[in-house]
């Protein structure tokens, strides 16, 4: 029988699974697999990133954008250690991916050899599956298993490869059997759960829907549900884009990064239809006595974030369809009317700044250009920081547009690796990387990768000379002096030019629009360094429209508090104030640091 190197057998498995590219950075301990990469270069493309972390973040982003597992690798020692952020991003966001991790030759393990450490112990927590083959014959078998386990457990699988096993000759007799695996087919809800849920819907005064990424295939049903039952739609951050942003009943995401209306509405509901959502910050939201209908395919999620009255172990699309078909149409509740008006007021307030001439430039003029110029199938790679606030509030997702970010792990530097993925898997689409100067500084070396492979990526850097998200936390949550957040201004256009990427600095809406149009006509990557406002985004945590200083700070004279709309549409006083739903709280004269809400409220 034909003999084949162990690493070549491993790559045969990747190819048989339809994987046509891998991300990584070579190292001496990985030489045997680098040889396989060379042998397979006509069938599997090697994307050589400049840092292993970029490769692992790219592999995590791949599934988020395509639904297919991404593959990365790192050499022994430092190369392996650099993979952890991407692995944890995938684990937190339940993203299938595979990491191939090199180890020193088997005869050099466990004797304090150069760059050697107990990799299997290190990667156990960072993965959903981790194995180190004991023989070279196991390499293709365990690669196949790694891919299967990544898909099944929805997370990162790690395969540790001893250098000598990759060179060893084994029989070329292993082939995968992936085609027998059907698409997921989750159950429909039980008749009893539908009946119980419909009863609660009928009895509720002010129902809302709160959905997450688990409802990503149910956008049409969410809209139909909202229209029939007159329910405002609220989402987690990762739920953005499931329903287009211009849908009238969509209030946006709850939490610090979200718009005003969504955060106000959540406190005044008596029934939450909770769909495919596991946001950890949701334990802080909704009245404690609100009833909950929870829809999820994972029984471990029921009651995890809020007490549940009806549990529907079912696919979100099927469950929503069952409720729509079984329930009676509702009239508009006072909360629904107030919500629509509250959102319209917020939208009008934001739009009033879209032609602002303030310098440094405000967010609204810049994002107005992005909304107008981005193609209907554009892909947005969103970094982590204040850019998440601007993105969720100001980017109007529609048509076939896609976006991705580091959700629950919230890894700064995510934007550039995600842009590499988008340009690789969608070469005919526009790719926009959107990043603050803090996050972009962490992975800016990947401009070299974009230039090397001539990727048509528009890198937009919002330079505001601060770690803005952390600055706002220090100011608004922990009430402390600013510490460690100020960063120097930098000419990112010059940095880009030094990496063979076209670079432009802009300071106005007009300059930005001109630069975007230039990129659309050119081939390859471009970077636009926007000298951005130093002012923080509107604080929905404080949201003190009765405080003249707050109103002045955010130029919020045209915004109205939710109580205005509640009174206008006849919400009961206790429902409008929340007094009947929350224990009375007395604000201390000197606010204590916030030690409860944590870091990034996505």
């Amino acid at each position: 029988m034909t003999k084949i190197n162990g690493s070549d057998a491993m790559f045969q498995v990747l190819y048989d699974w339809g994987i046509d590219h891998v991300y990584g950075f070579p190292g001496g301990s990985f030489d045997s697999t680098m040889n396989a990469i060379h042998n397979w270069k006509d069938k599997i493309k090697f994307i050589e990133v400049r840092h292993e972390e970029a490769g692992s973040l790219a592999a995590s982003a791949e599934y988020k954008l395509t639904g297919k597992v991404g593959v990365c690798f790192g050499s022994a020692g430092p190369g392996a250690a650099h993979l952890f952020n991407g692995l944890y991003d995938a684990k937190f966001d339940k993203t299938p991916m595979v990491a191939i991790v090199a180890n020193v030759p088997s005869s050099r393990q466990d004797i304090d050899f150069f760059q050697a450490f107990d990799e299997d112990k290190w990667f156990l927590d960072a993965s959903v599956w981790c194995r180190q083959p004991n023989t070279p014959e196991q390499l293709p078998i365990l690669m196949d298993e790694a891919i299967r386990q990544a898909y099944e457990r929805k997370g990162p699988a790690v395969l540790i490869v001893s250098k000598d096993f990759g060179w060893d000759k084994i029989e070329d007799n292993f082939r995968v059997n992936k085609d027998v695996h059907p698409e997921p087919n989750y159950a429909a809800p039980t008749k009893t759960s539908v009946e119980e849920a419909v009863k609660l819907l009928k009895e509720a005064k002010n129902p809302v829907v709160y959905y997450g990424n688990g409802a990503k295939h149910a956008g049409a049903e969410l809209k139909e549900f909202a229209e029939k039952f007159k329910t405002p739609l609220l989402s987690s951050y990762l739920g953005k884009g499931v329903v287009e942003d211009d849908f009238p009943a969509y209030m946006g995401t709850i939490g610090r990064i979200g718009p005003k209306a969504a955060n106000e509405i959540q406190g005044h509901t008596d029934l939450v239809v909770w769909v495919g959502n596991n946001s950890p910050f949701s334990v802080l939201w909704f009245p404690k006595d609100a009833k909950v209908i929870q829809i999820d395919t994972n029984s471990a999620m029921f009651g995890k974030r809020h007490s549940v009255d009806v549990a529907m172990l079912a696919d979100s699309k099927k469950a929503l369809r069952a409720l729509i078909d079984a329930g009676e149409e509702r009239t508009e509740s006072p909360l629904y009317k107030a919500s629509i008006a509250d959102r319209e007021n917020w939208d009008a307030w934001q739009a009033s700044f879209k032609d602002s001439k303030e310098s440094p430039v405000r967010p609204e003029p810049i994002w107005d250009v992005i909304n107008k110029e981005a193609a209907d199938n554009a892909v947005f790679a969103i970094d982590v920081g204040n850019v998440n606030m601007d993105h969720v509030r100001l980017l109007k997702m529609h048509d076939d547009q896609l976006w991705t970010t580091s959700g629950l792990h919230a890894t700064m530097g995510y934007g550039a690796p995600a842009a590499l993925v988008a340009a690789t898997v969608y070469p005919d689409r526009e790719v926009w990387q959107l990043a603050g100067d803090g996050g972009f500084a962490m992975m800016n070396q990947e401009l070299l990768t974009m230039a090397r492979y001539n990727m048509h990526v528009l890198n937009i850097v919002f330079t505001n000379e601060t770690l803005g998200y952390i600055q706002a936390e220090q100011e608004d949550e922990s009430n402390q002096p600013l510490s460690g957040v100020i960063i120097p201004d930098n000419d990112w256009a010059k940095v880009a030019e030094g990496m063979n990427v076209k670079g432009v600095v802009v300071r106005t809406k007009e300059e930005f629009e001109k630069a975007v149009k230039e990129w659309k006509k050119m081939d390859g990557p471009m970077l636009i360094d926007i000298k951005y406002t130093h002012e923080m985004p509107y604080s929905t945590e404080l949201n003190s429209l009765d405080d003249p200083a707050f109103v002045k700070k955010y130029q919020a004279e045209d915004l109205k508090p939710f109580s205005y709309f509640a009174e206008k549409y006849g919400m009961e006083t206790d429902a409008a104030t929340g007094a009947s739903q929350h224990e009375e709280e007395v604000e201390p004269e000197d606010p204590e640091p916030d030690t409860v809400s944590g870091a990034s409220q996505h």
Side-chain angles (χ1 to χ4, degrees), residues 4 20 134 178 197 382 546 557 587:
I4 187 174
D20 60 6
N134 294 314
K178 76 175 183 68
I382 313 295
D546 57 346
E557 291 80 5
E587 186 71 22

Side-chain angles (χ1 to χ4, degrees), residues 384-400:
V384 170
N386 269 359
V387 67
N388 299 118
M389 286 195 191
D390 289 342
H391 162 243
V392 80
R393 298 178 184 184
L394 294 170
L395 185 65
K396 303 301 182 184
M397 299 285 294
H398 60 86
D399 294 291
D400 295 323

